[in-house]
Structure formats: C-alpha cells, structure tokens
Amino acid sequence: MKLNIDELTIFGGKPVFEYALHVGRPNIGNRQKFTERVADILDRKWLTNGGKYVQEFERQLEHLMGVKHCIAICNATVALEIAIRALGMKGEVIVPSFTFIATAHALQWQEITPVFCDIDPETHNLDPRQVERMITPRTTGIIGVHVWGRACDTDALGEIAHRRNLRLLFDAAHAFACTSKGQMIGGFGDAEVFSFHGTKFFNTLEGGAVVTNDDSLANKIRLMKNFGFTNYDQTGYVGINGKMNEVSAAMGLTNLESLDEFIGVNRHNYQFYQTLLAGLDGVSLIAFSDVEKFNYQYVVLEIDAQITGVTRDDLVAILHAENILARRYFFPGCHQMEPYRSYFPHSGLLLPQTERLTQRVLCLPTGTAVGEMEIRQICGLIRLTLENSEEIKRRFTR
Ligand code: T4K
C-alpha cells in the first residue's frame, strides 16, 4: 500500500482497515486442549475453590518462576488488594502515577493513601531517588510497577525498603515470563502480583496471582483469598473471595503450553516495527535489553511533537480513523484521575517526568492477531503522517 495524504480517512478517504486492530487482543492456545479440560471440569463437577486445575496451575507457575509460592487469584486488582492487606500496609504507600489505575485503586479501596512518585524517563519505572524523597512517618510500603515488562530497579528499591523498614511489593502485571538480572520476575521484594487478564500476553480469561518466597505471607494470602477460612467453621483473618476458578486455570494451563510461541510472535512483531520505524525523527520505540527475557507485549512509541510536528494525540486520532486503535497507556496518569485529582490537585508539580511521558506515549497493536501486513500498513501510516506534518497541522482539526 502506498497511500497519499488525501486518501487518509480524516480527509475523506476510506479506512485502511475494514476491521478494528486492537491493542490487547488475546493470545489463545490450543482450543481442543482447552475444551477437553473444560469438559473434564464439567464431568468432575468441581468448578472452583482450589480444584485440581488451579492447583496444577499454581505448581507450574512456581516452577516457571522459581518461587516457593504462587497463589492464583481471580484478577490482579484483587491480588494487589490482598497482598497489600497481608503485608500490613497502611497509612501511605508510595506508587508511581504512571501505571494502570488498579495499582492506586487497590490502595485507596482500603483507605490507604497512594503517594504518587515520579519515574525515570528512560525506564518509565519508579525513580528510587524520588521514592526516598516521598517517605514520611506515615509511609509503610512501596509498590513498584514493572511497566511494559521492564523491571524496576529492584536493588535500589530493596535497599530503601530495608533501610526505612518498609514493605516492598511489585505490580508485575506486565512482566510475566520476563527476567531481571537473569532472574525470573516473581521472586523480588516481599511479593509480586501478576495479571492474567484477557489483554495480557498470557491470559486465564480473567485472573492473577500473588507469588512470594515468604512462607507465612503465602499462608496468610491463601487464607485471605478464601474469606479467611482456617477450617470448615473458623476464620483467622478478614477475608475476601479472591479465588480463581477451574476454567480460568484450564485456560492458563493451555496457554502455558503455547508460551514460547506467543513470545516468539510478539518478539517478531516488535522487531518488525523496529525495522520499519527506524530513522523516523522524533519517534522512539522503547528498547528491550538483549540480555534479559521479555514478553514484548507492549509496542510503545514515544512521540516528541517538537520534532515530529504532529502531537501524539493527533497521531492517535489519525490512526483511530484508520481503525488502528492505538492506546495512550497510561494517559493521563493516576494523579489526574478521580478521586486522586481532587484529593491532590497539585501533585503534578512533583511529577514532571510522569506529566511529560503521559503526553508522549502510545501503544500499537501486536500479538498473535497482528501480522507483517498489518504492521507494514501501520508504520506506513505513521511515516505518511509525519512526512506531511505541516499539511496535517494546517488541514486537520480534532
Ligand atoms: N496493574 C497493571 C500495571 C495493569 O496494567 C493492570 C491491568 C492491573 C494492575 C490490573 O489487572 P487486572 O485486575 O485487570 O487483572 C486493559 C485491561 O482491562 C487491564 O487488565 C490492563 N491492565 C490494562 C492495561 O488494559 P482497558 O480499560 O484498556 O481495557 P479495554 O476493555 O479497553 O480493552 C483493551 C483492548 O483489548 C481493547 O482494544 C479491546 C481488546 N480486547 C479486550 C478484551 C477484554 C479484546 O480484543 N478482547 C478481550 O477479551 O484495560
């Protein structure tokens, strides 16, 4: 395809794609294996509450991550809430604002104040120097988020947590099957939380997990996710229903069998984007180090509008008009969303890197639903847009 600018949908042309190209299309493993497992679940009439498939799923994840305990949970938001409570966090907890809103909500939901901390502009993760500055006498913990699957500075955060007697939890929602310093993510901090939501590179439909090497913490979390029951008739803690069901675990076991294939597709897509976007001034594709493992689930561009002449938001609007549903994760930043925006109206002043990044990032479609043909078209459109930035600025109003 070689479009010219008048053929863009924003100028009256027809969308390049007749079908929507989403960010976050699920990767789905072998259907037959999945349906066989579901049939077995129905035959056995054991649907949830720590059944055979959930147990097998947990053991496989412990093995994969090299951790002592994996507790499967119904989703990562509830997993965060349980881990936060089990760790005894209260008062204030330091979190990035540059994350999905669930990280902040998991705290606020239990009336713990999320204290938004700025990030490192290179890694997009918590900046440990800023973390140190945000600690007050009310601080009880830090939640680092391994954004895009690239690990936080676990050493620096671990050192601060140890020295200041704070609990350290990682939101590893993006980081399944990724490594940091050669070690699988899952074993860092007091505990780590994964998301297996449908949009994640590895899914259990909905789902999540807390993983930890701490025996007593694991025991507490196991009880808490099942209403706090210690036996048939007694509870030891306040608990919640955070259980993963058997069908989700069956999906997880099935998708685990295709993990390498999913990563291979994502890595290929990422590299193809890298090749086709090379040399575009003002556009940078976030980098993944060669010495670690990644799942390449997020193809993230940073747009420098001073150089491209087209803002990130104009580019997103142009792509959307062509049915390419690029996403502005994590715009506008948690601190700009309610209730945090009203609670802390001036927090942006402490978050210059977050504010800058939320204006620059966009995520492009990838995964098993996207092939070379689609990537060629997407990159062609981005090039066309930037090469005609002056004319677009003149003619296009959102
Ligand atoms: N921490 C972090 C850092 C996270 O990123 C997340 C979740 C969490 C914690 C919490 O994890 P969970 O409690 O969800 O396990 C989506 C996901 O819903 C959310 O799980 C994810 N992060 C976030 C980054 O993305 P939305 O509001 O953007 O979802 P939505 O409905 O717009 O879907 C995204 C795209 O995926 C759409 O273009 C359509 C496509 N899609 C979605 C689903 C569900 C499909 O093609 N098929 C599907 O089945 O949040």
mmCIF file of all heavy atoms in Angstrom, residues 363-381:
data_model
loop_
_atom_site.group_PDB
_atom_site.id
_atom_site.type_symbol
_atom_site.label_atom_id
_atom_site.label_comp_id
_atom_site.label_asym_id
_atom_site.label_seq_id
_atom_site.Cartn_x
_atom_site.Cartn_y
_atom_site.Cartn_z
ATOM 1 N N CYS A 363 0.643 3.047 22.522
ATOM 2 C CA CYS A 363 0.881 1.610 22.337
ATOM 3 C C CYS A 363 0.229 1.168 21.032
ATOM 4 O O CYS A 363 -0.915 1.530 20.748
ATOM 5 C CB CYS A 363 0.256 0.815 23.477
ATOM 6 S SG CYS A 363 1.030 1.122 25.062
ATOM 7 N N LEU A 364 0.975 0.368 20.283
ATOM 8 C CA LEU A 364 0.485 -0.109 18.987
ATOM 9 C C LEU A 364 0.047 -1.572 19.089
ATOM 10 O O LEU A 364 0.534 -2.310 19.950
ATOM 11 C CB LEU A 364 1.611 0.026 17.946
ATOM 12 C CG LEU A 364 2.018 1.466 17.620
ATOM 13 C CD1 LEU A 364 3.270 1.486 16.731
ATOM 14 C CD2 LEU A 364 0.871 2.213 16.916
ATOM 15 N N PRO A 365 -0.837 -2.002 18.200
ATOM 16 C CA PRO A 365 -1.315 -3.386 18.255
ATOM 17 C C PRO A 365 -0.196 -4.397 17.995
ATOM 18 O O PRO A 365 0.661 -4.179 17.137
ATOM 19 C CB PRO A 365 -2.341 -3.458 17.115
ATOM 20 C CG PRO A 365 -2.713 -2.054 16.819
ATOM 21 C CD PRO A 365 -1.506 -1.232 17.145
ATOM 22 N N THR A 366 -0.240 -5.485 18.750
ATOM 23 C CA THR A 366 0.663 -6.609 18.479
ATOM 24 C C THR A 366 -0.031 -7.884 18.921
ATOM 25 O O THR A 366 -1.245 -7.893 19.125
ATOM 26 C CB THR A 366 2.030 -6.415 19.169
ATOM 27 O OG1 THR A 366 2.904 -7.473 18.747
ATOM 28 C CG2 THR A 366 1.940 -6.411 20.690
ATOM 29 N N GLY A 367 0.720 -8.967 19.060
ATOM 30 C CA GLY A 367 0.140 -10.249 19.480
ATOM 31 C C GLY A 367 -0.163 -11.131 18.283
ATOM 32 O O GLY A 367 0.092 -10.750 17.123
ATOM 33 N N THR A 368 -0.749 -12.281 18.569
ATOM 34 C CA THR A 368 -0.958 -13.270 17.508
ATOM 35 C C THR A 368 -2.001 -12.810 16.480
ATOM 36 O O THR A 368 -2.095 -13.384 15.407
ATOM 37 C CB THR A 368 -1.388 -14.623 18.126
ATOM 38 O OG1 THR A 368 -2.394 -14.368 19.124
ATOM 39 C CG2 THR A 368 -0.226 -15.325 18.797
ATOM 40 N N ALA A 369 -2.782 -11.767 16.826
ATOM 41 C CA ALA A 369 -3.795 -11.280 15.875
ATOM 42 C C ALA A 369 -3.201 -10.305 14.851
ATOM 43 O O ALA A 369 -3.894 -9.846 13.951
ATOM 44 C CB ALA A 369 -4.931 -10.609 16.640
ATOM 45 N N VAL A 370 -1.920 -9.978 15.005
ATOM 46 C CA VAL A 370 -1.306 -8.958 14.133
ATOM 47 C C VAL A 370 -0.149 -9.590 13.357
ATOM 48 O O VAL A 370 0.708 -10.255 13.933
ATOM 49 C CB VAL A 370 -0.781 -7.783 14.991
ATOM 50 C CG1 VAL A 370 -0.060 -6.759 14.137
ATOM 51 C CG2 VAL A 370 -1.933 -7.131 15.744
ATOM 52 N N GLY A 371 -0.140 -9.365 12.053
ATOM 53 C CA GLY A 371 0.934 -9.932 11.225
ATOM 54 C C GLY A 371 1.721 -8.836 10.517
ATOM 55 O O GLY A 371 1.464 -7.639 10.712
ATOM 56 N N GLU A 372 2.665 -9.282 9.670
ATOM 57 C CA GLU A 372 3.545 -8.317 8.987
ATOM 58 C C GLU A 372 2.751 -7.345 8.120
ATOM 59 O O GLU A 372 3.093 -6.172 8.026
ATOM 60 C CB GLU A 372 4.570 -9.060 8.135
ATOM 61 C CG GLU A 372 5.621 -9.753 8.978
ATOM 62 C CD GLU A 372 6.834 -10.199 8.175
ATOM 63 O OE1 GLU A 372 6.824 -10.033 6.930
ATOM 64 O OE2 GLU A 372 7.779 -10.711 8.791
ATOM 65 N N MET A 373 1.692 -7.839 7.481
ATOM 66 C CA MET A 373 0.913 -6.968 6.597
ATOM 67 C C MET A 373 0.357 -5.779 7.386
ATOM 68 O O MET A 373 0.474 -4.622 6.970
ATOM 69 C CB MET A 373 -0.213 -7.793 5.958
ATOM 70 C CG MET A 373 -1.063 -7.078 4.930
ATOM 71 S SD MET A 373 -2.395 -6.096 5.657
ATOM 72 C CE MET A 373 -3.584 -7.350 6.089
ATOM 73 N N GLU A 374 -0.215 -6.086 8.559
ATOM 74 C CA GLU A 374 -0.801 -5.011 9.377
ATOM 75 C C GLU A 374 0.293 -4.041 9.854
ATOM 76 O O GLU A 374 0.105 -2.824 9.823
ATOM 77 C CB GLU A 374 -1.532 -5.585 10.602
ATOM 78 C CG GLU A 374 -2.892 -6.182 10.313
ATOM 79 C CD GLU A 374 -2.843 -7.667 10.016
ATOM 80 O OE1 GLU A 374 -1.719 -8.225 9.944
ATOM 81 O OE2 GLU A 374 -3.915 -8.273 9.834
ATOM 82 N N ILE A 375 1.420 -4.604 10.260
ATOM 83 C CA ILE A 375 2.491 -3.740 10.796
ATOM 84 C C ILE A 375 3.027 -2.818 9.683
ATOM 85 O O ILE A 375 3.299 -1.639 9.904
ATOM 86 C CB ILE A 375 3.610 -4.599 11.429
ATOM 87 C CG1 ILE A 375 3.033 -5.352 12.631
ATOM 88 C CG2 ILE A 375 4.808 -3.740 11.853
ATOM 89 C CD1 ILE A 375 3.978 -6.340 13.300
ATOM 90 N N ARG A 376 3.148 -3.378 8.482
ATOM 91 C CA ARG A 376 3.579 -2.543 7.345
ATOM 92 C C ARG A 376 2.633 -1.353 7.147
ATOM 93 O O ARG A 376 3.065 -0.218 6.945
ATOM 94 C CB ARG A 376 3.547 -3.380 6.055
ATOM 95 C CG ARG A 376 4.886 -3.781 5.558
ATOM 96 C CD ARG A 376 4.732 -4.515 4.219
ATOM 97 N NE ARG A 376 5.413 -5.775 4.270
ATOM 98 C CZ ARG A 376 6.721 -5.901 4.288
ATOM 99 N NH1 ARG A 376 7.497 -4.844 4.228
ATOM 100 N NH2 ARG A 376 7.280 -7.084 4.370
ATOM 101 N N GLN A 377 1.341 -1.643 7.198
ATOM 102 C CA GLN A 377 0.341 -0.575 6.974
ATOM 103 C C GLN A 377 0.416 0.477 8.087
ATOM 104 O O GLN A 377 0.350 1.676 7.835
ATOM 105 C CB GLN A 377 -1.079 -1.150 6.989
ATOM 106 C CG GLN A 377 -1.318 -2.309 6.065
ATOM 107 C CD GLN A 377 -1.875 -1.840 4.744
ATOM 108 O OE1 GLN A 377 -1.358 -0.880 4.189
ATOM 109 N NE2 GLN A 377 -2.889 -2.489 4.235
ATOM 110 N N ILE A 378 0.542 -0.013 9.336
ATOM 111 C CA ILE A 378 0.563 0.908 10.473
ATOM 112 C C ILE A 378 1.792 1.821 10.365
ATOM 113 O O ILE A 378 1.699 3.046 10.495
ATOM 114 C CB ILE A 378 0.577 0.129 11.816
ATOM 115 C CG1 ILE A 378 -0.736 -0.647 11.992
ATOM 116 C CG2 ILE A 378 0.829 1.059 12.999
ATOM 117 C CD1 ILE A 378 -0.723 -1.680 13.120
ATOM 118 N N CYS A 379 2.942 1.210 10.094
ATOM 119 C CA CYS A 379 4.171 2.017 10.033
ATOM 120 C C CYS A 379 4.126 2.959 8.826
ATOM 121 O O CYS A 379 4.602 4.103 8.894
ATOM 122 C CB CYS A 379 5.400 1.112 9.976
ATOM 123 S SG CYS A 379 5.602 0.172 11.499
ATOM 124 N N GLY A 380 3.537 2.472 7.731
ATOM 125 C CA GLY A 380 3.393 3.322 6.549
ATOM 126 C C GLY A 380 2.558 4.556 6.877
ATOM 127 O O GLY A 380 2.880 5.682 6.469
ATOM 128 N N LEU A 381 1.503 4.351 7.628
ATOM 129 C CA LEU A 381 0.635 5.481 8.005
ATOM 130 C C LEU A 381 1.354 6.468 8.918
ATOM 131 O O LEU A 381 1.197 7.686 8.781
ATOM 132 C CB LEU A 381 -0.593 4.953 8.740
ATOM 133 C CG LEU A 381 -1.747 4.592 7.824
ATOM 134 C CD1 LEU A 381 -2.711 3.667 8.526
ATOM 135 C CD2 LEU A 381 -2.466 5.874 7.385
#
